Amino acid sequence: MSEHEYVPKSKAAKWFNDRLPLLTLGAHLTDYPTPKNLNYWWTFGGILTFCLITQIVTGIVLAMHYVAHADLAFGSVEHIMRNVNYGWLIRYIHSNGASMFFLAVYIHIFRSLFYGSYKSPREIIWILGLLIYLLMMAAAFLGYVLPWGQMSFWGATVITNLFSAIPLVGESITTWLWGAYSVDNPTLNRFFSLHYLFPFLILGLVVLHIWALHIPGNNNPVGIDIKKPSKDTVPFHPYITIKDAFALLMFMIIFAGFVFFSPNILGHSDNYIPANPLVTPAHIVPEWYLLPFYAILRSVPDKLGGVILMFSAIFILFVLPWLDTSKVRSAVFRPIYRQFFWILVIDVLMLGYVGAMPAEGIYLVLARVGTIYYFLHFIVVLPVVGLLEKTDPIPMSISEPVITGGAEPSLARKLNEKV
Amino acid sequence: MKKFNIIIYKIIITLLLTTGSLNSAEMTDPIKVDWSFKGITGTFDRASLQRGFQVYKEVCSSCHSMQYLSYRNLGEPGGPEFTEAEVKAIAASFEVTDGPDNQGEMFTRPGRPSDMFVSPHPNKEAAAAANGGAYPPDMSVLVKARKGGANYIYSVLVGYEDPPPGVTLDDGVYYNKYMIGNKIKMPNNLMDGLVEYADGTESTVDQMAKDVTTFLAWAAEPELEERHKTGVKVIIYLVLLTILVYLSMKKIWSRIDSEV
Ligand code: HEM
């Protein structure tokens, strides 16, 4: 992809690079031509990488002191908080880090929705991203079980019980997942093992995600294909690295605000009560980042139906590139889609809100309306708007003014190539 | 840039709203107290912590355990900061079961600063049995384990009342308007003048409730003062670094005809 071949300067470096071209890779990453008009919504990829590394590093330190046993887990977390040097800091970074990770991933996903980053030729990047998101939810759920508080225990019970809705084999699957006849010590042990594993799977997927990204290159706010390298691009380093660093620092300020000044505000107080299989909490609520799905799950009176709908809400995103019929990527040039985009944002926020509320009365009604709208957006709105919408004129290149008429991004590229 | 920040904050605020506000059953909102440990520079009131420990030791510890604390914590910075001699004396006033010795027997000895707080009952079941079936929760993280935190604990302690007409209570159940369902199985333990404070402070119910709650808040978050202090430094550092990086970014991007 790099237009010019990289040749190491020293003989030793050349010797090494001929055998394992790490230096070539480094040069590729440094020179990587990036659209110069990327806005701050594009900094979240770097922020997400930071979040993953943070979780892995703090997690490994926590695992050195944590004890995955039903009788000892809660106490071992308290031991980390009280007796391990800076244990409180490491744990609060890890627990708030999960929330910051999801905040960043949601912004990142909605960025893709707004600028049409999931469209051809970036479908595989999008699908890899969704797989990362799925694994993140699994990892966070598993991690939340580890401190073995009331919400850990009952959250695990509710979620694992979902599998019992599967006809015929459901009960056996649930028992198999538990390794016992209820959520118990064997469950905690395997959850710890998987919680340690998943972040490394995520790391592998992140490498593929970035590899896939470096084939077509970044999308950009204008959403047109650009010639690379050209006057529309800048080398990744130092232009994008410094901008990403600036955005990351601002993100870290918010992160530090949570860690140092309200480290438990995003969690549930019940999780400081040791797990007790005999006492069910009044409201079992998952962490905030899973609430929209929880709302969808509870909006259906039938358990199996709820489970199917909840999983569909995620899986529908996998076929999104083929549901969207518009050739224009960026919502900047799609006046109708743009409005539906914001309605979807509000819809998901509302689902998150009702997910935290008891599933009754007005909340249940809102959950149902929100769920129906969520699916309508993808199944009806996207295909239909794409066909009917009259898009605004699209510029030929990032640095050139708008030419009238061209609504075909691929056209913009063809013209570009001749320049 | 401004817009970006505003959007981020909007998202965070929305998220906060969704996680909060879960009100159930009948209960009154806790009284809001202006604790010295609130806010980003909050610290504990040392004298209040020491008095609070006295209330805990003389009143609450006969029913409630505090199993994640050790006596040495009482002398550590950011806590009640008893002197080394005081901590030794406090620890020694408790009988600790140790062993087995080389005969295989368990034995008791006076406590040492490194010992964990002695629990009043051998296990949860015994604690519940001694209290008419209600388990007095371990107090190590109680403040973090209740929505409303310190305000809630304080409110429960001062919230005992005669039941309103029409409400009848079983034996061993008391009326407390801050509890969920307004019922609590802990008797009202505090009455004016119950303890004799070493520092001469008048031991009103309100004073004792505030002191013991302060003590419990520290017990749940012994790192609070260090956390606040470090936090302020970290944020200042990050802000300065952000400004530097912002300036370098402007400089670097000025080489090309594009905005950042
Ligand atoms: C995708 C990255 C990760 C996410 C989203 C994540 C999320 C979480 C969450 C939500 C908790 C519960 C926090 C709490 O309330 O205490 C947790 C706990 C824990 N995690 Fe992770 N984690 C990640 C990576 C890791 C890694 C790589 C390790 C170890 C190698 C690890 C080890 C632990 C341990 C030992 C705990 C229990 C201690 C505690 O509860 O604070 N985590 N994790």
Side-chain angles (χ1 to χ4, degrees), chain A residues 399-414:
Chain A
S399 19
E400 276 158 41
V402 174
I403 55 146
T404 40
E408 267 287 337
S410 51
L411 184 72
R413 185 189 24 210
K414 271 180 215 122

Side-chain angles (χ1 to χ4, degrees), chain A residues 35-37 40-41 43-44 74-76 78-79 81-83 86 88-89 91-92 100 103 107 231 234 238-240 242-243 245-247 249-254 256-270 272-276 282-283 285 287-288 291 342 349 352-353 356-358 399, chain B residues 1 4-5 7-9 11-12 14-24 39-41 68-70 72-73 76 116 124 140-142 144-148 180 218-224 226-232 234-235 238-239 241-243 245-246 248-249 252-260:
Chain A
K36 67 179 181 186
N37 63 334
Y40 282 95
W41 301 115
T43 59
F44 283 88
F74 189 89
S76 75
E78 275 313 306
H79 165 71
M81 295 295 287
R82 289 160 195 277
N83 302 327
Y86 290 102
W88 58 268
L89 180 57
R91 170 160 187 252
Y92 280 155
M100 297 307 288
L103 176 64
I107 294 175
K231 60 184 187 315
V234 290
Y239 294 96
I240 304 299
I242 189 83
K243 190 169 167 180
F246 171 59
L249 280 165
M250 292 207 295
F251 182 81
M252 285 170 79
I253 292 174
I254 300 170
F258 280 113
V259 166
F260 291 101
F261 302 117
S262 43
N264 292 305
I265 197 159
L266 297 169
H268 197 294
S269 52
D270 276 14
Y272 281 104
I273 304 172
N276 185 348
H283 297 285
V285 277
E287 295 267 85
W288 68 263
L291 286 173
W342 288 111
L349 287 176
Y353 176 75
M357 296 294 147
S399 19
Chain B
M1 231 26 268
F4 170 81
N5 268 336
I7 292 171
I8 296 258
Y9 276 106
I11 291 171
I12 290 175
T14 323
L15 296 175
L16 292 186
L17 289 178
T18 55
T19 39
S21 60
L22 255 186
N23 243 330
S24 68
I40 59 171
T41 53
Y68 298 120
L69 273 82
S70 23
R72 66 176 163 80
N73 296 142
E76 285 166 1
M116 304 302 266
K124 270 178 91 162
S140 318
V141 284
L142 198 56
K144 287 203 276 190
R146 292 292 182 276
K147 197 177 157 257
I180 297 169
W218 164 77
E221 300 192 292
E223 85 295 344
L224 180 135
E226 189 188 5
R227 176 156 57 73
H228 286 177
K229 265 189 240 144
T230 318
V232 171
V234 167
I235 301 260
L238 285 174
V239 168
L241 192 59
T242 308
I243 294 170
V245 168
Y246 176 77
S248 351
M249 178 177 76
I252 290 173
W253 278 76
S254 70
R255 292 180 213 158
I256 54 166
D257 62 335
S258 197
E259 280 288 308
V260 259

Side-chain angles (χ1 to χ4, degrees), chain B residues 117-137:
Chain B
F117 275 27
V118 175
S119 298
H121 302 283
N123 49 52
K124 270 178 91 162
E125 287 71 17
N131 284 284
Y135 166 65

Side-chain angles (χ1 to χ4, degrees), chain A residues 132-252:
Chain A
I132 293 171
Y133 173 54
L134 272 179
L135 276 183
M136 271 175 67
M137 290 198 282
F141 160 69
L142 294 165
Y144 194 59
V145 176
L146 302 185
W148 210 241
Q150 274 289 68
M151 273 306 152
S152 301
F153 181 88
W154 289 99
T157 303
V158 169
I159 301 293
T160 49
N161 256 314
L162 294 180
F163 292 91
S164 69
I166 302 169
L168 302 175
V169 290
E171 295 290 339
S172 336
I173 290 182
T174 312
T175 313
W176 177 73
L177 287 175
W178 287 336
Y181 291 100
S182 64
V183 173
D184 207 336
N185 193 50
T187 326
L188 176 58
N189 263 295
R190 62 192 54 191
F191 276 23
F192 181 46
S193 171
L194 295 175
H195 183 67
Y196 209 134
L197 170 68
F198 281 18
F200 294 93
L201 297 182
I202 294 176
L203 189 61
L205 285 174
V206 168
V207 171
L208 295 182
H209 188 69
I210 296 175
W211 185 1
L213 167 71
H214 281 229
I215 304 298
N218 291 71
N219 184 25
N220 64 77
V222 182
I224 54 170
D225 291 335
I226 50 169
K227 197 168 171 284
K228 289 165 298 248
S230 72
K231 60 184 187 315
D232 282 348
T233 66
V234 290
F236 193 80
H237 183 73
Y239 294 96
I240 304 299
T241 38
I242 189 83
K243 190 169 167 180
D244 277 357
F246 171 59
L248 174 61
L249 280 165
M250 292 207 295
F251 182 81
M252 285 170 79

Side-chain angles (χ1 to χ4, degrees), chain A residues 52 55-56 59-60 62-63 66 77 80 91 94-95 98 101-102 136 139-140 143-144 146-147 192 195-196 199-200 202 271 287 289:
Chain A
L52 178 62
Q55 291 306 98
I56 290 181
I60 288 175
L62 287 173
Y66 171 79
V77 172
I80 292 170
R91 170 160 187 252
H94 196 78
S95 58
F101 203 166
F102 277 94
M136 271 175 67
Y144 194 59
L146 302 185
F192 181 46
H195 183 67
Y196 209 134
F200 294 93
I202 294 176
N271 226 27
E287 295 267 85
Y289 38 79

